[in-house]
Amino acid sequence: MKFRHIITAIALAFFTATHLYAQDSTYSISTPIEIPKEGWNKVVQLRNGNTVLLHFENKKGIVVKVFDKDRKEIASKKHLCNVIDINGFDATFFHGLHDINGEATLFLTQDIDNAQTLVRLRIDGNSGALLAEDKIVKSPSFQRRTTAYLMKKPIGEGYAVFCYTTHPTDTATAVKLIRYNDKHEVVKEIPYEVPSKAYDNIDLLDASMDEEGDILISMQLSKIINYPDVMERTQAML
């Protein structure tokens, strides 16, 4: 059987607009680059004008390409990584790729060593080198799952991670808000317990951070009510 490797040419388009009108907008397009069709791509433009493109393929690691402000490719690296599982990108949740302190910073969640884990990858915005690969939130065990949610300021530095751990036998759900500065240092941790013994499910509805750094988090607690038969359910509804 012949194996055909499909290559897709990707041209990055860059737009600069002062108003939401076509006649006021300008754009430039980079030279097309060859990227395999299989896999996933993430891209971010950094404050220095460089653009970082990440390409993920199962079993093949992460390809990093860096373009300067003139849209010319200035660096290309491939990282097999030491923490994340490069065989499991299809089961990976990507939280986002952001410019933090001039670095391309990727946040993703994977099952690592049977524990749901939020990992942060820091990539140099000029050379494409992998600067750090850190586990920042990890589930206590496979049964006690910790769900993490990333919040980034729309403008300015700083970000936060909200996480909560659930298990059917828990009388309360442990939640935590962790705030970071632009150097990825923890500046504050706020732990809390949500009484959840009387409920069957607890879910995060939304979490957001505004330009001032204020955070709003909403969670939903729900209970499943079972009715023995239709007659009893009808009576209860009445």
Side-chain angles (χ1 to χ4, degrees), residues 59-62 78-86 133:
K59 302 180 182 180
K60 295 185 179 180
I62 304 175
K78 184 174 183 178
H79 304 297
L80 298 180
C81 303
N82 295 315
V83 174
I84 65 172
D85 179 9
I86 64 172
E133 189 180 0

Side-chain angles (χ1 to χ4, degrees), residues 59-72:
K59 302 180 182 180
K60 295 185 179 180
I62 304 175
V63 173
V64 180
K65 290 185 177 292
V66 183
F67 303 83
D68 64 14
K69 61 182 180 181
D70 296 318
R71 318 312 173 198
K72 295 180 180 178

Side-chain angles (χ1 to χ4, degrees), residues 167-183:
H167 191 270
T169 62
D170 290 344
T171 58
T173 297
V175 304
K176 182 185 291 186
L177 178 66
I178 312 169
R179 302 193 72 138
Y180 295 84
N181 60 20
D182 62 337
K183 295 180 176 58

Side-chain angles (χ1 to χ4, degrees), residues 19-218:
H19 303 284
L20 297 179
Y21 300 96
Q23 60 267 30
D24 295 324
S25 302
T26 59
Y27 67 91
S28 60
I29 300 178
S30 71
T31 302
I33 56 174
E34 290 189 346
I35 292 290
K37 183 178 180 179
E38 298 82 6
W40 302 262
N41 301 298
K42 301 292 178 182
V43 64
V44 64
Q45 185 170 24
L46 306 179
R47 66 195 68 187
N48 65 356
N50 288 357
T51 301
V52 178
L53 168 69
L54 306 184
H55 176 74
F56 309 84
E57 278 189 82
N58 281 336
K59 302 180 182 180
K60 295 185 179 180
I62 304 175
V63 173
V64 180
K65 290 185 177 292
V66 183
F67 303 83
D68 64 14
K69 61 182 180 181
D70 296 318
R71 318 312 173 198
K72 295 180 180 178
E73 185 176 328
I74 58 174
S76 181
K77 302 283 186 182
K78 184 174 183 178
H79 304 297
L80 298 180
C81 303
N82 295 315
V83 174
I84 65 172
D85 179 9
I86 64 172
N87 299 314
F89 287 133
D90 53 345
T92 296
F93 181 80
F94 294 95
H95 295 269
L97 176 63
H98 301 279
D99 175 355
I100 299 179
N101 199 26
E103 301 169 352
T105 309
L106 176 72
F107 298 86
L108 58 84
T109 291
Q110 280 189 332
D111 279 341
I112 299 175
D113 297 328
N114 290 323
Q116 189 163 277
T117 306
L118 174 64
V119 182
R120 177 185 60 214
L121 283 77
R122 296 166 49 198
I123 297 170
D124 187 277
N126 293 299
S127 68
L130 181 58
L131 302 175
E133 189 180 0
D134 303 306
K135 300 177 184 178
I136 58 176
V137 174
K138 183 178 180 180
S139 298
S141 65
F142 180 77
Q143 291 80 15
R144 298 176 61 81
R145 309 279 285 178
T146 297
T147 301
Y149 190 91
L150 174 72
M151 292 165 283
K152 175 75 173 64
K153 274 187 178 181
I155 300 175
E157 302 291 354
Y159 60 97
V161 173
F162 176 73
C163 55
Y164 62 100
T165 303
T166 57
H167 191 270
T169 62
D170 290 344
T171 58
T173 297
V175 304
K176 182 185 291 186
L177 178 66
I178 312 169
R179 302 193 72 138
Y180 295 84
N181 60 20
D182 62 337
K183 295 180 176 58
H184 307 285
E185 299 167 335
V186 176
V187 295
K188 193 170 186 179
E189 290 191 26
I190 305 174
Y192 186 71
E193 286 193 347
V194 178
S196 54
K197 183 178 181 180
Y199 300 92
D200 296 299
N201 297 299
I202 180 168
D203 298 293
L204 175 67
L205 295 181
D206 194 18
S208 61
M209 177 186 291
D210 65 17
E211 295 179 2
E212 302 299 323
D214 295 327
I215 293 173
L216 174 65
I217 298 169
S218 58

